[in-house]
Amino acid sequence: MRPPGPDNGPLQRGAKLGPYTLHECLGSGAFKSVYRAEVAPGHLPSTLDPRPSSLTEVAVAIPHQQDAASLEVTRREFETGHRLNHPSIVRTLALEE
């Protein structure tokens, strides 16, 4: 499956990426697109504390480029976001490659 981007267009509603089923595109910028998605039961990270059993909707960010430099930026962004815990910041739960 090609990543979303200026030349590829958005992924289709219902597209599956691992345990995630994509719904609508929430926004797209120069670097990535963010989709509202549903995660399959049992696929939330075990580090999520407290672990709400009813949480099934997540946001999935997909870089437009899949080259090593873009993926490294995504990895660093994940590591930073994963350490943050504040009610006004969206929590970063997982990085899947």
Side-chain angles (χ1 to χ4, degrees), residues 13-83:
R13 177 185 297 264
K16 302 244 187 228
L17 292 174
Y20 306 100
T21 302
L22 302 184
H23 295 295
E24 74 270 8
C25 182
L26 298 174
S28 187
F31 183 68
K32 69 180 98 180
S33 295
V34 177
Y35 291 83
R36 185 176 69 80
E38 187 172 331
V39 65
H43 282 85
L44 286 173
S46 60
T47 57
L48 184 59
D49 188 28
R51 189 180 177 130
S53 59
S54 62
L55 177 64
T56 59
E57 283 198 357
V58 295
V60 174
I62 303 170
H64 295 311
Q65 302 297 319
Q66 301 290 311
D67 59 89
S70 296
L71 295 176
E72 176 63 19
V73 169
T74 300
R75 186 189 62 74
R76 285 193 316 259
E77 183 180 85
F78 164 77
E79 289 174 354
T80 301
H82 191 66
R83 289 190 301 262

